[in-house]
PDB file of all heavy atoms in Angstrom:
ATOM      1  N   ALA A 433      19.684 -59.418 154.459  1.00  0.00           N
ATOM      2  CA  ALA A 433      21.062 -59.779 154.838  1.00  0.00           C
ATOM      3  C   ALA A 433      21.463 -58.893 155.917  1.00  0.00           C
ATOM      4  O   ALA A 433      21.432 -57.685 155.876  1.00  0.00           O
ATOM      5  CB  ALA A 433      21.854 -59.612 153.488  1.00  0.00           C
ATOM      6  N   GLY A 434      22.088 -59.517 156.829  1.00  0.00           N
ATOM      7  CA  GLY A 434      22.684 -58.813 158.065  1.00  0.00           C
ATOM      8  C   GLY A 434      22.713 -59.573 159.259  1.00  0.00           C
ATOM      9  O   GLY A 434      22.438 -60.830 159.264  1.00  0.00           O
ATOM     10  N   SER A 435      23.346 -59.046 160.335  1.00  0.00           N
ATOM     11  CA  SER A 435      23.533 -59.665 161.604  1.00  0.00           C
ATOM     12  C   SER A 435      22.450 -59.201 162.561  1.00  0.00           C
ATOM     13  O   SER A 435      21.679 -58.279 162.277  1.00  0.00           O
ATOM     14  CB  SER A 435      24.871 -59.337 162.164  1.00  0.00           C
ATOM     15  OG  SER A 435      24.887 -57.962 162.452  1.00  0.00           O
ATOM     16  N   GLY A 436      22.538 -59.830 163.779  1.00  0.00           N
ATOM     17  CA  GLY A 436      21.623 -59.486 164.795  1.00  0.00           C
ATOM     18  C   GLY A 436      21.830 -57.994 165.228  1.00  0.00           C
ATOM     19  O   GLY A 436      20.740 -57.280 165.546  1.00  0.00           O
ATOM     20  N   THR A 437      23.059 -57.407 164.988  1.00  0.00           N
ATOM     21  CA  THR A 437      23.271 -56.036 165.417  1.00  0.00           C
ATOM     22  C   THR A 437      22.582 -55.160 164.396  1.00  0.00           C
ATOM     23  O   THR A 437      21.991 -54.099 164.801  1.00  0.00           O
ATOM     24  CB  THR A 437      24.809 -55.720 165.314  1.00  0.00           C
ATOM     25  OG1 THR A 437      25.485 -56.634 166.223  1.00  0.00           O
ATOM     26  CG2 THR A 437      25.113 -54.363 165.681  1.00  0.00           C
ATOM     27  N   VAL A 438      22.502 -55.472 163.106  1.00  0.00           N
ATOM     28  CA  VAL A 438      21.649 -54.751 162.111  1.00  0.00           C
ATOM     29  C   VAL A 438      20.314 -54.707 162.520  1.00  0.00           C
ATOM     30  O   VAL A 438      19.563 -53.724 162.370  1.00  0.00           O
ATOM     31  CB  VAL A 438      21.932 -55.356 160.716  1.00  0.00           C
ATOM     32  CG1 VAL A 438      20.882 -54.715 159.725  1.00  0.00           C
ATOM     33  CG2 VAL A 438      23.306 -55.086 160.158  1.00  0.00           C
ATOM     34  N   ALA A 439      19.726 -55.848 163.010  1.00  0.00           N
ATOM     35  CA  ALA A 439      18.299 -55.910 163.375  1.00  0.00           C
ATOM     36  C   ALA A 439      18.101 -55.051 164.644  1.00  0.00           C
ATOM     37  O   ALA A 439      17.042 -54.407 164.776  1.00  0.00           O
ATOM     38  CB  ALA A 439      18.041 -57.436 163.753  1.00  0.00           C
ATOM     39  N   MET A 440      19.117 -54.901 165.560  1.00  0.00           N
ATOM     40  CA  MET A 440      18.993 -54.110 166.734  1.00  0.00           C
ATOM     41  C   MET A 440      18.919 -52.735 166.341  1.00  0.00           C
ATOM     42  O   MET A 440      18.002 -51.937 166.790  1.00  0.00           O
ATOM     43  CB  MET A 440      20.224 -54.257 167.685  1.00  0.00           C
ATOM     44  CG  MET A 440      20.276 -55.641 168.390  1.00  0.00           C
ATOM     45  SD  MET A 440      21.845 -55.767 169.226  1.00  0.00           S
ATOM     46  CE  MET A 440      21.465 -54.893 170.781  1.00  0.00           C
ATOM     47  N   GLU A 441      19.718 -52.244 165.406  1.00  0.00           N
ATOM     48  CA  GLU A 441      19.671 -50.918 164.825  1.00  0.00           C
ATOM     49  C   GLU A 441      18.348 -50.568 164.100  1.00  0.00           C
ATOM     50  O   GLU A 441      17.763 -49.561 164.220  1.00  0.00           O
ATOM     51  CB  GLU A 441      20.849 -50.719 163.813  1.00  0.00           C
ATOM     52  CG  GLU A 441      20.898 -49.428 163.195  1.00  0.00           C
ATOM     53  CD  GLU A 441      22.117 -49.246 162.237  1.00  0.00           C
ATOM     54  OE1 GLU A 441      23.226 -49.424 162.784  1.00  0.00           O
ATOM     55  OE2 GLU A 441      21.888 -48.928 161.019  1.00  0.00           O
TER      56      GLU A 441
END
Side-chain angles (χ1 to χ4, degrees):
S435 66
T437 303
V438 168
M440 293 174 80
E441 181 175 303

